[in-house]
Amino acid sequence: MLTTKAAAAAELKWRKAKKSCINFIRKYVYIEDRDAPELAVPFALWPKQAKVIEAFLVNRLTILLKSRQLGATWGSLAYAAWRLVFTPGYSVVALSKREDDAKELTRRMAFILRYLPRWMIREKKTAGKNFSGPVWEATSLSIVITHTDGEQSTFTAMSSAPDSGRSFTSSLVILDEWAFQSYAEEIWAAAYPTVNRPTGGQVIGLSTNKRGSFFESLWKGAVKGENGFTPIFLPWWTDPRRTKEWYEASKKALPHSYLQEYPATPEEALSAGEGTA
């Protein structure tokens, strides 16, 4: 009887988590915080982070211009984890600047999955013979989730290269630090047709700004309503722990680049920094 009750309770929690991405993240997702007493901390979404997740849920194309260190990458991965765990056959491709950065994205996704409740999903090598739920296994650049019906969902990370966009068909493409990726325009030209399907396909591009980048041109086009992207801006004060005193100290430490690193407005993010002629 206790086993039956436990199974029924787990099924109810599963359905609630599947129904609401925000609920899934707030109740079950852990992220790394190297300044906290414990490395793994609950992902307690700040108000603006929650708004970003809500935007992911309703927009096919999202471009996120942000200040530094605001958890945007963790947020996009948490959203992707929700899709992967609850959608058999779902595929995510994440592109980053270099191979080391791609491996870091995979490591973070594995971190999220590892800390999810064991009634929800388990790592294959520690699942146990009696577990009948979905299991996951990882390599340095990919993660495969095998669902109860045998269908698989996949997360694949890769570095930016001229032919990266042609090598996949994906449900979701995440372009991390997009402004700093080599061959960004070529990758986009090749990648967009792979997600431009009548039934779906989604793109999340996030970055701090780099003057003259392809990302910057897409952001400006999105603001003008020219390219289908929904623009979202995250100012430095998105993190409620950042005070005015913190901001003033940052300005003194980075007198030539604080507007780009810690902008308060999109205009500041797009402003010229040190060395601009």
Short mmCIF file of all heavy atoms in Angstrom, two decimals, residues 32-80:
data_model
loop_
_atom_site.label_atom_id
_atom_site.label_comp_id
_atom_site.label_asym_id
_atom_site.label_seq_id
_atom_site.Cartn_x
_atom_site.Cartn_y
_atom_site.Cartn_z
N GLU A 32 24.72 25.75 -9.88
CA GLU A 32 25.94 25.99 -9.12
C GLU A 32 26.02 27.42 -8.65
O GLU A 32 25.72 28.34 -9.41
CB GLU A 32 27.18 25.67 -9.97
CG GLU A 32 27.42 24.22 -10.20
CD GLU A 32 28.67 23.97 -11.02
OE1 GLU A 32 29.11 24.87 -11.74
OE2 GLU A 32 29.22 22.86 -10.92
N ASP A 33 26.45 27.61 -7.41
CA ASP A 33 26.75 28.94 -6.87
C ASP A 33 28.02 28.81 -6.05
O ASP A 33 28.01 28.33 -4.93
CB ASP A 33 25.60 29.45 -6.01
CG ASP A 33 25.82 30.89 -5.54
OD1 ASP A 33 26.97 31.38 -5.65
OD2 ASP A 33 24.86 31.52 -5.08
N ARG A 34 29.13 29.24 -6.65
CA ARG A 34 30.42 29.06 -6.00
C ARG A 34 30.64 30.00 -4.82
O ARG A 34 31.63 29.89 -4.11
CB ARG A 34 31.54 29.21 -7.03
CG ARG A 34 31.45 28.16 -8.13
CD ARG A 34 32.63 28.17 -9.08
NE ARG A 34 32.45 27.18 -10.14
CZ ARG A 34 32.72 25.88 -10.02
NH1 ARG A 34 33.19 25.41 -8.88
NH2 ARG A 34 32.52 25.06 -11.04
N ASP A 35 29.71 30.94 -4.62
CA ASP A 35 29.80 31.84 -3.46
C ASP A 35 28.93 31.38 -2.30
O ASP A 35 28.96 31.99 -1.23
CB ASP A 35 29.38 33.26 -3.87
CG ASP A 35 30.31 33.86 -4.91
OD1 ASP A 35 31.53 33.60 -4.82
OD2 ASP A 35 29.83 34.58 -5.80
N ALA A 36 28.15 30.32 -2.51
CA ALA A 36 27.25 29.82 -1.46
C ALA A 36 27.96 28.76 -0.62
O ALA A 36 28.94 28.14 -1.06
CB ALA A 36 25.99 29.24 -2.09
N PRO A 37 27.48 28.53 0.60
CA PRO A 37 28.08 27.48 1.45
C PRO A 37 28.05 26.11 0.78
O PRO A 37 28.98 25.32 0.92
CB PRO A 37 27.21 27.51 2.71
CG PRO A 37 26.64 28.90 2.75
CD PRO A 37 26.43 29.27 1.31
N GLU A 38 26.97 25.81 0.06
CA GLU A 38 26.85 24.56 -0.69
C GLU A 38 26.94 24.88 -2.17
O GLU A 38 26.36 25.86 -2.64
CB GLU A 38 25.53 23.87 -0.39
CG GLU A 38 25.34 23.49 1.07
CD GLU A 38 26.29 22.36 1.50
OE1 GLU A 38 26.70 21.58 0.61
OE2 GLU A 38 26.59 22.26 2.69
N LEU A 39 27.65 24.05 -2.94
CA LEU A 39 27.84 24.32 -4.36
C LEU A 39 26.52 24.29 -5.11
O LEU A 39 26.25 25.15 -5.96
CB LEU A 39 28.79 23.28 -4.97
CG LEU A 39 29.07 23.42 -6.47
CD1 LEU A 39 29.74 24.75 -6.77
CD2 LEU A 39 29.93 22.27 -6.96
N ALA A 40 25.67 23.32 -4.81
CA ALA A 40 24.38 23.19 -5.49
C ALA A 40 23.32 23.93 -4.69
O ALA A 40 23.10 23.65 -3.50
CB ALA A 40 24.00 21.72 -5.64
N VAL A 41 22.65 24.88 -5.36
CA VAL A 41 21.61 25.67 -4.69
C VAL A 41 20.34 25.64 -5.55
O VAL A 41 20.41 25.53 -6.78
CB VAL A 41 22.05 27.13 -4.49
CG1 VAL A 41 23.27 27.21 -3.58
CG2 VAL A 41 22.33 27.82 -5.82
N PRO A 42 19.17 25.73 -4.93
CA PRO A 42 17.93 25.77 -5.71
C PRO A 42 17.93 26.97 -6.64
O PRO A 42 18.41 28.05 -6.28
CB PRO A 42 16.85 25.89 -4.63
CG PRO A 42 17.47 25.37 -3.38
CD PRO A 42 18.92 25.73 -3.47
N PHE A 43 17.39 26.79 -7.82
CA PHE A 43 17.30 27.88 -8.80
C PHE A 43 16.07 28.72 -8.46
O PHE A 43 15.00 28.58 -9.05
CB PHE A 43 17.19 27.30 -10.21
CG PHE A 43 17.52 28.29 -11.31
CD1 PHE A 43 17.63 27.87 -12.62
CD2 PHE A 43 17.73 29.64 -11.03
CE1 PHE A 43 17.93 28.76 -13.65
CE2 PHE A 43 18.05 30.54 -12.04
CZ PHE A 43 18.14 30.10 -13.35
N ALA A 44 16.24 29.61 -7.49
CA ALA A 44 15.16 30.50 -7.07
C ALA A 44 15.11 31.67 -8.04
O ALA A 44 15.83 32.65 -7.89
CB ALA A 44 15.40 30.99 -5.64
N LEU A 45 14.25 31.56 -9.02
CA LEU A 45 14.23 32.53 -10.10
C LEU A 45 13.94 33.94 -9.59
O LEU A 45 12.99 34.17 -8.84
CB LEU A 45 13.15 32.15 -11.12
CG LEU A 45 13.39 30.87 -11.93
CD1 LEU A 45 12.11 30.49 -12.68
CD2 LEU A 45 14.54 31.04 -12.91
N TRP A 46 14.78 34.90 -10.01
CA TRP A 46 14.47 36.30 -9.78
C TRP A 46 13.31 36.69 -10.69
O TRP A 46 13.04 36.02 -11.70
CB TRP A 46 15.69 37.17 -10.07
CG TRP A 46 16.92 36.77 -9.33
CD1 TRP A 46 17.00 36.35 -8.04
CD2 TRP A 46 18.26 36.75 -9.85
NE1 TRP A 46 18.31 36.06 -7.72
CE2 TRP A 46 19.10 36.30 -8.81
CE3 TRP A 46 18.82 37.07 -11.09
CZ2 TRP A 46 20.48 36.17 -8.97
CZ3 TRP A 46 20.19 36.94 -11.26
CH2 TRP A 46 21.01 36.50 -10.21
N PRO A 47 12.60 37.77 -10.37
CA PRO A 47 11.44 38.15 -11.20
C PRO A 47 11.76 38.27 -12.69
O PRO A 47 11.00 37.77 -13.53
CB PRO A 47 11.02 39.49 -10.60
CG PRO A 47 11.41 39.39 -9.16
CD PRO A 47 12.71 38.62 -9.17
N LYS A 48 12.86 38.91 -13.05
CA LYS A 48 13.19 39.06 -14.46
C LYS A 48 13.61 37.73 -15.09
O LYS A 48 13.36 37.50 -16.28
CB LYS A 48 14.28 40.12 -14.65
CG LYS A 48 13.75 41.55 -14.58
CD LYS A 48 14.79 42.55 -15.02
CE LYS A 48 14.20 43.95 -15.14
NZ LYS A 48 13.19 44.05 -16.22
N GLN A 49 14.23 36.84 -14.32
CA GLN A 49 14.55 35.52 -14.85
C GLN A 49 13.27 34.75 -15.16
O GLN A 49 13.18 34.05 -16.18
CB GLN A 49 15.39 34.73 -13.84
CG GLN A 49 16.83 35.22 -13.71
CD GLN A 49 17.58 34.45 -12.64
OE1 GLN A 49 17.01 34.07 -11.62
NE2 GLN A 49 18.87 34.24 -12.85
N ALA A 50 12.28 34.86 -14.29
CA ALA A 50 11.01 34.19 -14.53
C ALA A 50 10.34 34.73 -15.80
O ALA A 50 9.75 33.96 -16.58
CB ALA A 50 10.08 34.36 -13.32
N LYS A 51 10.43 36.04 -16.03
CA LYS A 51 9.87 36.64 -17.24
C LYS A 51 10.56 36.09 -18.49
O LYS A 51 9.92 35.88 -19.53
CB LYS A 51 10.01 38.16 -17.19
CG LYS A 51 9.14 38.84 -16.14
CD LYS A 51 7.66 38.73 -16.48
CE LYS A 51 6.81 39.50 -15.51
NZ LYS A 51 5.35 39.34 -15.78
N VAL A 52 11.86 35.85 -18.40
CA VAL A 52 12.60 35.27 -19.53
C VAL A 52 12.10 33.87 -19.83
O VAL A 52 11.86 33.51 -21.00
CB VAL A 52 14.11 35.27 -19.24
CG1 VAL A 52 14.85 34.46 -20.30
CG2 VAL A 52 14.65 36.70 -19.21
N ILE A 53 11.93 33.05 -18.80
CA ILE A 53 11.41 31.69 -19.00
C ILE A 53 10.03 31.74 -19.64
O ILE A 53 9.72 30.96 -20.56
CB ILE A 53 11.36 30.91 -17.68
CG1 ILE A 53 12.77 30.79 -17.06
CG2 ILE A 53 10.76 29.53 -17.89
CD1 ILE A 53 13.77 30.06 -17.90
N GLU A 54 9.19 32.65 -19.17
CA GLU A 54 7.86 32.79 -19.75
C GLU A 54 7.94 33.17 -21.23
O GLU A 54 7.14 32.70 -22.06
CB GLU A 54 7.07 33.84 -18.98
CG GLU A 54 6.67 33.38 -17.57
CD GLU A 54 6.11 34.51 -16.72
OE1 GLU A 54 6.04 35.66 -17.23
OE2 GLU A 54 5.74 34.25 -15.57
N ALA A 55 8.93 34.00 -21.58
CA ALA A 55 9.11 34.38 -22.99
C ALA A 55 9.54 33.17 -23.82
O ALA A 55 9.10 33.00 -24.96
CB ALA A 55 10.14 35.51 -23.10
N PHE A 56 10.42 32.32 -23.25
CA PHE A 56 10.83 31.11 -23.97
C PHE A 56 9.63 30.23 -24.31
O PHE A 56 9.59 29.58 -25.35
CB PHE A 56 11.81 30.30 -23.13
CG PHE A 56 13.16 30.94 -22.92
CD1 PHE A 56 14.01 30.47 -21.93
CD2 PHE A 56 13.58 32.00 -23.69
CE1 PHE A 56 15.26 31.03 -21.74
CE2 PHE A 56 14.83 32.58 -23.51
CZ PHE A 56 15.67 32.09 -22.52
N LEU A 57 8.65 30.22 -23.43
CA LEU A 57 7.51 29.33 -23.59
C LEU A 57 6.58 29.75 -24.74
O LEU A 57 5.85 28.91 -25.27
CB LEU A 57 6.70 29.27 -22.29
CG LEU A 57 7.37 28.52 -21.13
CD1 LEU A 57 6.66 28.83 -19.83
CD2 LEU A 57 7.39 27.02 -21.39
N VAL A 58 6.62 31.02 -25.13
CA VAL A 58 5.64 31.50 -26.11
C VAL A 58 6.27 32.02 -27.40
O VAL A 58 5.54 32.30 -28.36
CB VAL A 58 4.75 32.61 -25.50
CG1 VAL A 58 3.94 32.06 -24.34
CG2 VAL A 58 5.57 33.81 -25.05
N ASN A 59 7.59 32.14 -27.45
CA ASN A 59 8.24 32.70 -28.64
C ASN A 59 9.13 31.67 -29.32
O ASN A 59 9.91 30.98 -28.66
CB ASN A 59 9.08 33.92 -28.27
CG ASN A 59 8.23 35.07 -27.76
OD1 ASN A 59 7.39 35.61 -28.47
ND2 ASN A 59 8.44 35.44 -26.50
N ARG A 60 9.04 31.57 -30.64
CA ARG A 60 9.92 30.67 -31.38
C ARG A 60 11.33 31.21 -31.46
O ARG A 60 12.31 30.45 -31.40
CB ARG A 60 9.38 30.46 -32.79
CG ARG A 60 8.18 29.54 -32.90
CD ARG A 60 7.89 29.18 -34.35
NE ARG A 60 9.02 28.49 -34.95
CZ ARG A 60 9.67 28.91 -36.03
NH1 ARG A 60 9.33 30.03 -36.62
NH2 ARG A 60 10.67 28.21 -36.53
N LEU A 61 11.47 32.52 -31.63
CA LEU A 61 12.78 33.14 -31.78
C LEU A 61 12.95 34.19 -30.69
O LEU A 61 12.19 35.17 -30.63
CB LEU A 61 12.93 33.80 -33.16
CG LEU A 61 12.67 32.94 -34.39
CD1 LEU A 61 12.79 33.78 -35.66
CD2 LEU A 61 13.63 31.76 -34.44
N THR A 62 13.93 33.99 -29.82
CA THR A 62 14.19 34.92 -28.72
C THR A 62 15.65 35.34 -28.75
O THR A 62 16.54 34.49 -28.83
CB THR A 62 13.87 34.28 -27.36
OG1 THR A 62 12.53 33.80 -27.35
CG2 THR A 62 14.06 35.28 -26.24
N ILE A 63 15.89 36.65 -28.68
CA ILE A 63 17.26 37.16 -28.59
C ILE A 63 17.39 37.93 -27.28
O ILE A 63 16.58 38.80 -26.98
CB ILE A 63 17.64 38.03 -29.81
CG1 ILE A 63 19.12 38.41 -29.75
CG2 ILE A 63 16.73 39.24 -29.97
CD1 ILE A 63 19.64 38.98 -31.06
N LEU A 64 18.37 37.55 -26.49
CA LEU A 64 18.52 38.05 -25.13
C LEU A 64 19.83 38.83 -25.01
O LEU A 64 20.91 38.24 -25.09
CB LEU A 64 18.49 36.87 -24.15
CG LEU A 64 18.60 37.16 -22.66
CD1 LEU A 64 17.43 38.02 -22.20
CD2 LEU A 64 18.61 35.86 -21.88
N LEU A 65 19.73 40.14 -24.85
CA LEU A 65 20.87 41.01 -24.62
C LEU A 65 20.97 41.24 -23.13
O LEU A 65 19.98 41.62 -22.49
CB LEU A 65 20.67 42.33 -25.36
CG LEU A 65 21.72 43.44 -25.15
CD1 LEU A 65 23.09 43.00 -25.63
CD2 LEU A 65 21.27 44.72 -25.85
N LYS A 66 22.15 41.04 -22.55
CA LYS A 66 22.21 40.99 -21.09
C LYS A 66 23.48 41.59 -20.53
O LYS A 66 24.48 41.76 -21.23
CB LYS A 66 22.10 39.54 -20.63
CG LYS A 66 23.28 38.67 -21.07
CD LYS A 66 23.07 37.21 -20.73
CE LYS A 66 24.31 36.38 -21.07
NZ LYS A 66 25.48 36.72 -20.25
N SER A 67 23.43 41.88 -19.26
CA SER A 67 24.61 42.20 -18.47
C SER A 67 25.32 40.90 -18.10
O SER A 67 24.79 39.80 -18.30
CB SER A 67 24.18 42.96 -17.21
OG SER A 67 25.26 43.22 -16.37
N ARG A 68 26.51 41.03 -17.56
CA ARG A 68 27.30 39.85 -17.21
C ARG A 68 26.75 39.14 -15.98
O ARG A 68 26.24 39.74 -15.05
CB ARG A 68 28.75 40.26 -16.93
CG ARG A 68 29.52 40.74 -18.13
CD ARG A 68 29.96 39.59 -19.01
NE ARG A 68 30.84 38.66 -18.33
CZ ARG A 68 32.17 38.82 -18.23
NH1 ARG A 68 32.75 39.88 -18.79
NH2 ARG A 68 32.91 37.95 -17.59
N GLN A 69 26.89 37.81 -15.98
CA GLN A 69 26.66 36.97 -14.80
C GLN A 69 25.26 37.12 -14.21
O GLN A 69 25.09 37.43 -13.04
CB GLN A 69 27.72 37.29 -13.72
CG GLN A 69 29.15 37.07 -14.14
CD GLN A 69 29.44 35.59 -14.47
OE1 GLN A 69 29.03 34.70 -13.74
NE2 GLN A 69 30.14 35.35 -15.56
N LEU A 70 24.25 36.89 -15.05
CA LEU A 70 22.87 36.99 -14.58
C LEU A 70 22.12 35.66 -14.66
O LEU A 70 20.90 35.63 -14.59
CB LEU A 70 22.12 38.06 -15.38
CG LEU A 70 22.56 39.50 -15.12
CD1 LEU A 70 21.74 40.46 -15.97
CD2 LEU A 70 22.42 39.86 -13.64
N GLY A 71 22.84 34.56 -14.84
CA GLY A 71 22.20 33.25 -14.84
C GLY A 71 21.40 32.95 -16.08
O GLY A 71 20.58 32.03 -16.07
N ALA A 72 21.64 33.68 -17.17
CA ALA A 72 20.85 33.46 -18.38
C ALA A 72 21.16 32.11 -19.02
O ALA A 72 20.25 31.44 -19.53
CB ALA A 72 21.11 34.59 -19.38
N THR A 73 22.43 31.71 -18.98
CA THR A 73 22.77 30.40 -19.54
C THR A 73 22.13 29.29 -18.72
O THR A 73 21.56 28.33 -19.27
CB THR A 73 24.29 30.22 -19.59
OG1 THR A 73 24.86 31.24 -20.42
CG2 THR A 73 24.66 28.85 -20.15
N TRP A 74 22.21 29.40 -17.40
CA TRP A 74 21.54 28.41 -16.54
C TRP A 74 20.04 28.39 -16.82
O TRP A 74 19.42 27.31 -16.85
CB TRP A 74 21.79 28.73 -15.06
CG TRP A 74 23.12 28.29 -14.54
CD1 TRP A 74 24.17 29.09 -14.19
CD2 TRP A 74 23.54 26.95 -14.28
NE1 TRP A 74 25.22 28.33 -13.74
CE2 TRP A 74 24.87 27.02 -13.78
CE3 TRP A 74 22.95 25.70 -14.42
CZ2 TRP A 74 25.59 25.88 -13.42
CZ3 TRP A 74 23.67 24.56 -14.06
CH2 TRP A 74 24.97 24.66 -13.57
N GLY A 75 19.44 29.56 -17.03
CA GLY A 75 18.01 29.61 -17.30
C GLY A 75 17.64 28.92 -18.59
O GLY A 75 16.65 28.17 -18.65
N SER A 76 18.43 29.14 -19.64
CA SER A 76 18.14 28.49 -20.92
C SER A 76 18.33 26.98 -20.81
O SER A 76 17.56 26.20 -21.40
CB SER A 76 19.02 29.07 -22.03
OG SER A 76 20.39 28.83 -21.80
N LEU A 77 19.33 26.55 -20.05
CA LEU A 77 19.54 25.11 -19.88
C LEU A 77 18.44 24.48 -19.03
O LEU A 77 18.03 23.33 -19.28
CB LEU A 77 20.91 24.86 -19.25
CG LEU A 77 22.13 25.19 -20.12
CD1 LEU A 77 23.42 25.02 -19.33
CD2 LEU A 77 22.15 24.32 -21.37
N ALA A 78 17.97 25.20 -18.01
CA ALA A 78 16.87 24.68 -17.19
C ALA A 78 15.61 24.52 -18.02
O ALA A 78 14.88 23.52 -17.90
CB ALA A 78 16.62 25.61 -16.00
N TYR A 79 15.34 25.50 -18.88
CA TYR A 79 14.20 25.39 -19.79
C TYR A 79 14.37 24.19 -20.72
O TYR A 79 13.44 23.41 -20.94
CB TYR A 79 14.07 26.68 -20.60
CG TYR A 79 13.12 26.58 -21.77
CD1 TYR A 79 11.74 26.58 -21.56
CD2 TYR A 79 13.59 26.46 -23.07
CE1 TYR A 79 10.86 26.48 -22.63
CE2 TYR A 79 12.72 26.35 -24.14
CZ TYR A 79 11.36 26.36 -23.92
OH TYR A 79 10.50 26.25 -24.98
N ALA A 80 15.58 24.03 -21.27
CA ALA A 80 15.85 22.90 -22.15
C ALA A 80 15.70 21.57 -21.41
O ALA A 80 15.17 20.60 -21.97
CB ALA A 80 17.26 23.02 -22.74
#
